[in-house]
Amino acid sequence: MSATLLRLSLCGAMVPLAALAARLPAQTAELRMSHFTVEHGLAQNAVTAIAQDSAGFLWVGTKRGLQRFDGYDFVSVAILDSTAALELSGPITDLQVDRNGRLWILASGRLFWGRLGRERLRSVPAGGRLAAASGGQLWYDRITPHRIDWHADSPRVTVLPFALPKSCCGPMATGPDGILWLTRGSPDSATVTRLDPVSGTRREFPLAAISQVADLTADSGGRVWAGGFGGVEVLEPGANRFRELAAFRGASVGAIARDGPDGLLVAAQGWIARTDRRGHITERWNGTPRLPTRLRADREGGWWLATLGEGLHRLDLAPPVFSDRPGGASREPLPRGAGFVMALGETRDGSLWIGTLGSGGYRYSGRVGPTGWRRYPPGRDGLPHGEIWDFAEDTEGGWWVGTTAGLCRMEESGPRCVRRLGRSFPVADIAPTADGWFWLAMGGPTAVAFHPATGQFGDTLSVPHAVITAFADTTTGDLWLGGSRVHRAQVHGGRVTRPPEQAPAGLDGADYVFQFARDSRGRFWMASDRGLQRWDPRIGRFASPQGIDLAGTSVFSILEDDTGRLWLGTAHGLVHYSPETGRTRRYGRADGIPSGEFNRRAALRRRSGEMVFGGVAGLTVFDPEVVTGRRPPPPLVITRLQTVTAAGPANLHATTESPAILGPEDRSLTVEFAALTFLPGPVRRYRHRLEGLSPDWTVSTDHRVTIPTPPPGRYRLLVQTAAGGEGWGAPGLVFPFEVTPPFWGTRRFRLAVGTLLLALLWAGHRFRLRNAVATERLRLRIARDLHDEIGAGLSSIALISDAIGSAAGVPPGERHRLQRIGGSARGMVADLRDIVWAIDPGEDRLYDVIERTRDVASDLLPGVRITFHGPPPEQMARRIGLVQRRDLLRLYKEALHNVARHAQAGNVDISISVSGSAIELTITDDGMGFEPGTVRAGTGLASMRERARTLGGTLEITSAPGRGTIVKCGLPAT
């Protein structure tokens, strides 16, 4: 196979641009720095003060006011507190934060303190600069030194009886012993003054070379450091004068800060340095901005550098997690021009071997300095080719290298290369077996066995594809061959014991396999253009594991760490994958990865635990324990709350302790939050859900959530941020809020409406009751009047008629007419008795109805045997309405009239019962009966049916000639 085809097979889309590789810039240690200016929201590029509070917010003072920075936005003090003093929007001189979370601000000749945005700030006149003491005290100068015990709930101000000169004061500092150090300067010299508040003594210390002090600090060992125009000077404990540090002589130093117990960090024009307690520079970085004014450390180990014209900078001076230097940050990187790294190996003595695409091989012994590297270039006395694909160690410790033009053993005198059939041959991969043999992938459709100790060749394996990677599985004895397809054979002692067979892998003709690997738990993995796949012995094929998302990403290499997790070198950065949980974490250039794209099989875990990956831009070196160390997730805080109403947006002031209250006029709620971390890295991910409304999480990179106002109730917004490769940081942010209903939906309104409704019902009941009582009284009065007045009058008429008619001498015609008058009067009295009975409220029980029907039956059916059947005693007290009593009596009387006129019955059975809400009346006689279909007009049956239908009742008549008649009537008893 030609060398060009071999390169294309091994590199996939990469081409062998050795010349391009030679022109790639060398990876050197650079100062990692983030830069913020007015373009990012800073009020002004002249920054005068910096402080970080206990929550993690960064407070920045400029000549145009105070701002709060959360990693996303710079927010001015006027937005945080609309009632804040105007001085806080002007020049800020100095800032301090105490352990109670109060902010101390020196602005326009006044000292303000309090929790900005949560309480109204207090202030006193002040000047100069601020100095914080470890004992919970704050110093400022105003003609005389003032001390504030700032950790008290109500800060107390104490004035020290020291008169200060007019040229005072510049920077101030306090030592661990409570001593106050002040500076003053003149055009020619500067002086540091020592004030002892306990003894009341004062002493002057002139500076040797500094004409103007820019910053002053005292360390834990009692040393006082001064930096300014002219360099850095130190006053040792017990010394009489400041000592100039030669390393900073003549430098323009703008800011200094304590670095650890006794060290110092010095920011000068264009560079920054770290010193030890003696003032010797231990580390130095170039490229910092000019005119530094403040240097402050944050709680994540970063340093914030303020400048007078170039804004705000965050410096990351800690050793990088990812490096291009094997063995540590102090070691030398891979020499310039090495090009693409394609192979890695480590010998028994700990030497690191690097194979490149075109520049030959490199050996790193681990010694500090450039002498630690040795190059093995291609040439007449060197390697047969500059393209190196693999390294391998035999059982005797011999070191072998596979190149495009042959297999060579590296010896002290130089490489000794192997020939086969009298010529060299390409080696794309070397797979050592447990019995000491090598299986060499030839880059073409063959693999051959080679014994490194004897130099003998064994069997040759042929497959229908180019073999660019091989793996001898010591667990199963299988030899895996990968290219555009995958084959598996059984080998032993350089011989093929089972012919190769194709293993299903889901590859097409354009995909390549780059590496096989078996992990410590026995799982077998494959890296390819199709991503990461795992052999599933149940189905006999490779398949993508569940949960991993590497679609469209070529995986070139696989390494396992001590925890069983995999590190994958891919075409899009480094991926950390947990087979147990399915979680992945991708690292790219934003995380400090020197090379954004890695190469086939160029991965090595060294004996020290250090991992090395080779890529198109050199080496990426890291300690997996450092990368995956469980750093606590950064605190999540609310930075802004806003609602939208018909009148427009409005800001809310609420915290996680006091829930926000939304009214019915609020249409939506926007919550802005931030993970208070300033570490550089990829875009931070968040997830949120609204507890009480949805059980599902929503994942986003946006640090704000807009929620349409939910139904009235209490809710909690839960927010979490991704914590590296270990999933989501819990519990995160819990923000409670409440949605109040409109006034008609409140409990108070419902209670009032319920009370009003009950009052109306009670009033209605009382009204009905009064009407019912009045009606009953009226009915009773009418019944009495009818009975006493009209009934008595009709009875008198009947008696008078009878008396006149029985008198002697009355003509027969007149006597007849008088008899008719008396009969009519008596009939009217009977009808009137029925009316009085119907309207009498004292006769409205079922018992009264039955008694009345007994009396009527006796009057209308004289000489007939009558049998009554009534309801059970418990129903006798049931109330029957006036209308129902009247209509029941009418139907009853009409039925008895028909019996009396037409039936010629000897026995009549009358039954009254109650069924549900209806009264059933049944009249059965043993008379002559009739045919219901041939009833003559005038019998009253039609009127009875019509009356029952009008009343909403039923009427059934059952009769037959000679069999009597049954009349059954049902009426509602309401």
Side-chain angles (χ1 to χ4, degrees), residues 129 171 183 190 192 207-217 225-234 242 244-245 248-257 264-269 271 291-293:
R129 295 272 287 271
T183 61
V192 176
L207 294 170
I210 297 176
S211 59
Q212 184 176 348
V213 179
D215 211 352
L216 189 72
T217 188
W225 305 79
F229 296 107
V232 177
E233 299 183 24
V234 60
F242 276 85
E244 184 182 8
L245 301 183
F248 299 96
R249 182 175 294 125
S252 295
V253 175
I256 59 177
L264 194 71
L265 202 63
V266 180
Q269 293 266 21
W271 56 282
L291 302 176
T293 59

Side-chain angles (χ1 to χ4, degrees), residues 10 17 40 57 160 198 220 262 475 500 527 531 634 663 732 800 827:
L10 292 173
L17 301 177
H40 302 90
F57 287 108
L160 270 67
V198 177
S220 60
D262 301 312
T475 301
I800 293 172

Side-chain angles (χ1 to χ4, degrees), residues 485-503:
R485 279 170 282 178
V486 177
H487 279 76
R488 176 176 59 174
Q490 195 84 27
V491 297
H492 180 73
R495 297 288 180 261
V496 178
T497 58
R498 190 185 68 212
E501 59 181 2
Q502 184 173 345

Side-chain angles (χ1 to χ4, degrees), residues 322-649:
F322 297 99
S323 173
D324 61 349
R325 305 171 186 227
S330 63
R331 308 293 177 169
E332 289 294 321
L334 186 65
R336 184 181 298 272
F340 294 6
V341 175
M342 296 300 298
L344 294 167
E346 185 181 29
T347 58
R348 296 181 182 181
D349 63 0
S351 296
L352 179 65
W353 286 78
I354 295 98
T356 68
L357 186 67
S359 298
Y362 292 82
R363 181 175 180 266
Y364 182 60
S365 64
R367 292 193 298 270
V368 178
T371 57
W373 289 95
R374 178 182 177 183
R375 184 187 178 196
Y376 296 86
R380 182 175 181 179
D381 298 324
L383 293 170
H385 204 282
E387 296 171 351
I388 297 178
W389 302 111
D390 200 9
F391 297 104
E393 187 177 31
D394 61 29
T395 56
E396 297 178 356
W399 193 249
W400 296 80
V401 56
T403 74
T404 299
L407 175 68
C408 304
R409 178 186 170 100
M410 304 302 294
E411 298 179 350
E412 289 297 329
S413 58
R416 180 171 61 86
C417 300
V418 177
R419 290 182 173 272
R420 182 170 182 257
L421 303 177
R423 62 179 183 271
S424 62
F425 54 91
V427 176
D429 200 2
I430 307 172
T433 64
D435 53 13
W437 284 77
F438 286 170
W439 281 90
L440 309 177
M442 310 288 285
T446 58
V448 63
F450 172 73
H451 198 283
T454 63
Q456 297 178 348
F457 286 90
D459 287 354
T460 298
L461 271 172
S462 297
V463 292
H465 62 86
V467 179
I468 63 172
T469 187
F471 178 77
D473 191 352
T474 57
T475 301
T476 63
D478 291 335
L479 178 67
W480 293 85
L481 305 175
S484 58
R485 279 170 282 178
V486 177
H487 279 76
R488 176 176 59 174
Q490 195 84 27
V491 297
H492 180 73
R495 297 288 180 261
V496 178
T497 58
R498 190 185 68 212
E501 59 181 2
Q502 184 173 345
L507 305 173
D508 58 30
D511 296 326
Y512 278 92
V513 176
F514 300 110
Q515 186 179 358
F516 300 102
R518 186 174 291 278
D519 65 18
S520 58
R521 301 190 181 184
R523 293 170 293 211
F524 192 65
W525 303 90
M526 180 179 71
S528 71
D529 281 321
R530 289 282 180 169
L532 180 69
Q533 297 186 55
R534 185 173 69 189
W535 177 258
D536 190 339
R538 297 173 301 174
I539 60 177
R541 63 172 295 115
F542 284 98
S544 297
Q546 293 183 353
I548 192 170
D549 183 14
L550 292 174
T553 301
S554 295
V555 177
F556 295 125
S557 53
I558 305 171
L559 284 182
E560 183 186 14
D561 62 21
D562 288 335
T563 65
R565 295 167 183 162
L566 303 183
W567 294 84
L568 312 175
T570 77
H572 300 91
L574 187 68
V575 174
H576 184 212
Y577 167 61
S578 172
E580 305 302 328
T581 64
R583 293 173 179 166
T584 59
R585 168 73 157 88
R586 189 184 299 273
Y587 299 91
R589 289 191 182 277
D591 300 286
I593 296 286
S595 182
E597 181 177 357
F598 295 96
N599 288 336
R600 155 263 185 203
R601 294 191 70 254
L604 172 70
R605 183 182 181 192
R606 305 185 69 186
R607 291 177 176 83
S608 63
E610 183 179 69
M611 286 189 173
V612 185
F613 281 79
V616 299
L619 299 177
T620 295
V621 185
F622 62 94
D623 183 342
E625 292 186 2
V626 173
V627 176
T628 59
R630 287 302 304 270
R631 176 179 296 174
L636 277 167
V637 295
I638 296 173
T639 57
R640 189 180 184 188
L641 294 173
Q642 190 178 69
T643 62
V644 175
T645 65

Side-chain angles (χ1 to χ4, degrees), residues 106 108-111 124-130 139-147 157-160 162-165 168-169 172 180 182:
L106 194 59
S108 301
R110 296 194 69 83
L111 178 62
V124 294
R129 295 272 287 271
L130 302 177
W139 294 86
Y140 67 92
D141 65 274
R142 185 174 180 265
I143 302 177
T144 59
H146 288 60
R147 183 184 68 203
V157 180
T158 303
V159 181
L160 270 67
F162 288 104
L164 300 177
C168 190
C169 286
M172 305 167 61
L180 178 64
L182 303 96

Side-chain angles (χ1 to χ4, degrees), residues 100 224 277 352 413 482 613 652 680 752 759 761-762 834 846 893 955:
N100 292 327
V224 180
R277 67 178 63 185
L352 179 65
S413 58
F613 281 79
L652 290 178
L761 291 174
W762 175 251
D834 290 340
L846 183 58
K893 290 178 69 175
L955 181 67

Side-chain angles (χ1 to χ4, degrees), residues 711-727:
R714 294 183 178 180
Y715 302 92
R716 296 200 313 167
L717 177 66
L718 309 181
V719 184
Q720 295 178 350
T721 182
E726 302 298 329

